[in-house]
Amino acid sequence: MQELKAADPHDTEAETIIADASYECVAMAQSPDTRYPGARQAEKQRPELKPYIEGLIANDQQRCGRLVKSDISSADAKSIVGMYAKPASDGSMKALAIQLQYSNIDAMPNAALAADVQRIIASQDPDAIGALSNLMGGRAEDRSAAFGPVSGTETQQYAWLMAACQMGMDCGPGSSLLRQYCLNAGVCGYTSIDQVISNNYLTPTDYRTAVAQSQQIILGAMK
């Protein structure tokens, strides 16, 4: 982290990585007994998951152990989101998507919001599109003018996430996203985001709809 902070202040990728590291590791600022609530609950319900969960926790601690205490000791959601402001203004579409996720989008005019959404999609950046998926569900309800026709429901939110995975975002067994689903939400024991979605969040019918819509999203982004 210190090496990244010492990098060129105009290095948008480094700025985004620094923000991502703080975002991923903010739980380290909490006391140890309050970390990983979802995973601990999942372990109580399914004791056979203990080796899997302990492996994820060890991985998380190893990754976040690279941050010195001063990097995360005063971290909170507001300050971390603020770290994305500069890379977003410098052209990082992932940073822009995360900023929008934590913004008061209800106060944003459709035209301005649509322009940002289209910039993110046009970038074809799978990580940016994955971050954008968090806005494509209920928060986009009745705002197709801003978010486009594939938006407004939980099914469509997961269609965007699945599209991001298919476009190259890391959604496999070693991914940060899969790890956080377990550690924070208690959705444990899976080897891909696709499994997480199909087994926990969508009915079989809605899952098939999401798969079809994810292909539409990819084709639209590649135009």
Side-chain angles (χ1 to χ4, degrees):
M1 178 72 82
Q2 299 305 313
E3 291 81 358
L4 286 169
K5 287 183 175 179
D8 184 343
H10 301 292
D11 186 337
T12 304
E13 182 178 1
E15 293 171 342
T16 306
I17 290 172
I18 290 170
D20 284 345
S22 298
Y23 188 89
E24 179 180 339
C25 298
V26 67
M28 289 299 174
Q30 302 170 358
S31 61
D33 60 339
T34 63
R35 297 175 196 163
Y36 316 125
R40 297 307 184 192
Q41 183 62 33
E43 188 178 311
K44 288 180 181 179
Q45 295 172 347
R46 296 177 59 192
E48 71 274 14
L49 287 175
K50 182 177 176 62
Y52 170 84
I53 290 171
E54 292 303 322
L56 291 188
I57 290 174
N59 187 345
D60 195 67
Q61 292 177 338
Q62 181 182 32
R63 285 175 58 84
C64 294
R66 300 173 186 176
L67 278 69
V68 298
K69 186 176 181 181
S70 61
D71 288 323
I72 56 175
S73 60
S74 61
D76 57 34
K78 185 176 181 180
S79 64
I80 290 172
V81 172
M83 294 174 69
Y84 285 101
K86 189 172 188 302
S89 67
D90 289 342
S92 167
M93 292 298 99
K94 179 182 180 181
L96 176 59
I98 291 174
Q99 267 207 311
L100 288 176
Q101 180 184 340
Y102 289 94
S103 296
N104 179 15
I105 59 172
D106 292 339
M108 294 180 66
N110 280 340
L113 192 50
D116 284 342
V117 169
Q118 288 306 311
R119 285 174 63 206
I120 293 165
I121 296 170
S123 74
Q124 300 180 16
D125 179 339
D127 292 320
I129 290 172
L132 181 66
S133 72
N134 294 306
L135 285 169
M136 290 302 197
R139 294 185 70 189
E141 187 177 8
D142 298 326
R143 295 200 70 182
S144 60
F147 292 99
V150 186
S151 66
T153 70
E154 183 181 40
T155 298
Q156 292 169 327
Q157 175 179 336
Y158 288 115
W160 281 92
L161 181 56
M162 291 164 66
C165 292
Q166 294 170 58
M167 293 172 71
M169 187 174 78
D170 187 359
C171 298
S175 65
S176 171
L177 183 58
L178 191 71
R179 189 167 64 253
Q180 296 311 316
Y181 264 109
C182 177
L183 299 183
N184 296 330
V187 181
C188 303
Y190 300 96
T191 59
S192 71
I193 294 302
D194 187 85
Q195 288 182 356
V196 166
I197 294 169
S198 62
N199 284 275
N200 297 275
Y201 292 104
L202 297 179
T203 67
T205 299
D206 287 343
Y207 173 74
R208 289 191 292 273
T209 299
V211 169
Q213 290 184 331
S214 71
Q215 297 306 307
Q216 296 173 22
I217 291 164
I218 292 169
L219 290 173
M222 295 302 179
K223 286 182 180 179

